[in-house]
Amino acid sequence: MARLCERCWNILANEMAEADGATAAPRPEPDPDDTSWIEPPICPECGASVRVYPTNYDRWVSLSTVELPAKDVPEPFRWRLTKLPGPSLIATDIVAVRVRGLDPAPGEPVVPAHHVMCVPD
């Protein structure tokens, strides 16, 4: 497997993010002393709640809050949420992975990118 320098990796990751629509801003780090409830971000276009997740290539994507059958989501906008492997049985983090390669079964649930579901007011 080839290793890329930092500059080359950023170029590649930015190109992948642009192609996948993974252009969301990262979630702000919560203040460890703040005990207030953290609300999900709201889309400025349609006012719906969105889920913002890191991708498996260190960029961020806005996803819908509902899963839909794969047959109802256009191919370029299908995502899955995957737990990062770790030594613990408790998932420490979740990343969004774009569904590629083998197509999911028509009824298999996928998470659509938010901009596919976004209907501006």
Side-chain angles (χ1 to χ4, degrees):
M1 180 180 269
R3 295 190 81 125
L4 298 176
C5 69
E6 186 73 21
R7 180 178 171 275
C8 293
W9 165 248
N10 280 322
I11 290 170
L12 176 64
N14 288 338
E15 288 173 358
M16 289 174 23
E18 189 68 33
D20 290 344
T23 56
R27 291 181 299 212
E29 287 293 322
D31 181 5
D33 295 330
D34 186 5
T35 59
S36 62
W37 184 259
I38 299 174
E39 295 293 329
I42 303 295
C43 174
E45 299 292 322
C46 67
S49 296
V50 295
R51 297 189 291 180
V52 179
Y53 283 100
T55 65
N56 56 328
Y57 48 88
D58 301 327
R59 299 302 180 262
W60 294 78
V61 63
S62 294
L63 299 177
S64 173
T65 56
V66 296
E67 289 184 341
L68 294 175
K71 65 180 178 160
D72 295 338
V73 180
E75 186 177 331
F77 308 108
R78 297 175 184 162
W79 292 82
R80 284 203 177 97
L81 299 176
T82 305
K83 297 174 186 172
L84 286 175
S88 171
L89 295 176
I90 299 171
T92 55
D93 210 355
I94 295 176
V95 294
V97 178
R98 219 192 32 81
V99 178
R100 291 192 169 104
L102 296 174
D103 286 334
E108 192 173 338
V110 296
V111 181
H114 173 71
H115 65 272
V116 169
M117 309 288 290
C118 187
V119 179
D121 288 334

